[in-house]
Amino acid sequence: MKKIYIPMIRYGDKEFDEGFVGWGFQSTEDQIRDAQAILNIISLDNLKILDIACGLGNYHKIWTGAGHTVVGTDLSETFIMMAQNTHPEVTYRVENFYDLAEENEYDLVTMIDTPVEDEDVPRNAYRALKPGGSFVFQISNPNYLHLRGQKLENYRSWQENEDRTFLLTRHEYNENIDRWEYEEWHLNVETGEIVIEHNFSTHLSFSRLVDILRAVGFCSVSFIDANGRPYGTSKEEPMNFFCIAHKGTK
């Protein structure tokens, strides 16, 4: 049988992005709360902020309203067009955050609702920051009970559909590398075709995050709650909080 692999998350694909707008983003209230949390964490004036993977830019009205200059980037042309129409005072550009090449340009680099899964994004963020600048990003709490339960639930299922096609579902979590994988196999016996939709995510441990951030040059790393207070990394609440990494002044 012929196998066709399709990633479930396809940012930059116009059809996917248009659908994602309706179901994929946090609520506006949650985004406004997160935007205010950034201001609680970085209580400075007149910042030049780069928001990578900015989505629809719902954070930006809060930041520009507080007197900051904002540049938003995202891989999705659909998201960027919608953000620019909503926030004409903000500079937007279509860009993959792995391709970020600016140097010593920003006081603050942010990334909200997008996980750090490797060292490439922190390295690019470090390069883009001015000396003394900060990289703030949101992370999922690995101790959050409901999230941990979802991650640890391994299952496989089989379903026969009315049109005589078949669906196989696989969800597996590898605790050793803190990575979950999800697949759906759509089998059409008549055409001899299998369409495989897949997605995976790696949740870095606190110690691994610190190691990565220090390896690319950040001089200090801390975990902060939405009110700007130090966060104890063994707590089960809340679901998400923030990591802040500072670039040295030399």
Side-chain angles (χ1 to χ4, degrees), residues 27-119:
S27 69
T28 300
E29 292 77 12
D30 286 343
Q31 292 182 63
I32 290 173
R33 179 203 62 209
D34 290 339
Q36 187 58 54
I38 297 295
L39 298 186
N40 295 338
I41 294 168
I42 307 293
S43 55
L44 299 173
D45 297 326
N46 302 315
L47 295 173
K48 186 174 183 180
I49 302 173
L50 173 66
D51 185 24
I52 56 181
C54 69
L56 303 181
N58 289 332
Y59 320 106
H60 300 159
K61 183 176 181 179
I62 301 298
W63 297 343
T64 57
H68 304 299
T69 301
V70 179
V71 176
T73 71
D74 200 287
L75 180 61
S76 168
E77 183 176 354
T78 299
F79 299 165
I80 289 297
M81 289 179 60
M82 294 178 69
Q84 190 70 79
N85 289 336
T86 305
H87 310 289
E89 73 281 8
V90 175
T91 300
Y92 290 101
R93 61 176 188 256
V94 178
E95 181 178 62
N96 189 324
F97 50 58
Y98 287 106
D99 298 330
L100 180 65
E102 293 170 284
E103 296 186 24
N104 301 317
E105 185 70 25
Y106 300 96
D107 303 295
L108 176 64
V109 175
T110 61
M111 187 164 69
I112 302 176
D113 200 25
T114 300
V116 169
E117 297 186 331
D118 53 45
E119 65 183 24

Side-chain angles (χ1 to χ4, degrees), residues 38 41-42 51-52 108-118 121-122 125 134-140 204-206 208-210 212-213 218 220-224 240-246:
I38 297 295
I41 294 168
I42 307 293
D51 185 24
I52 56 181
L108 176 64
V109 175
T110 61
M111 187 164 69
I112 302 176
D113 200 25
T114 300
V116 169
E117 297 186 331
D118 53 45
V121 174
S134 299
F135 176 38
V136 178
F137 58 96
Q138 192 176 49
I139 59 178
S140 298
L204 299 176
S205 66
F206 295 111
R208 179 61 179 144
L209 270 174
V210 172
I212 287 174
L213 292 163
F218 288 103
S220 67
V221 180
S222 55
F223 300 100
I224 303 294
N240 299 305
F241 53 98
F242 295 90
C243 181
I244 177 170
H246 296 288

Side-chain angles (χ1 to χ4, degrees), residues 1 11 26 64 70 160 163 190:
M1 300 185 77
Y11 299 124
Q26 293 179 313
T64 57
V70 179
E160 181 177 352
D163 60 359
E190 292 186 1

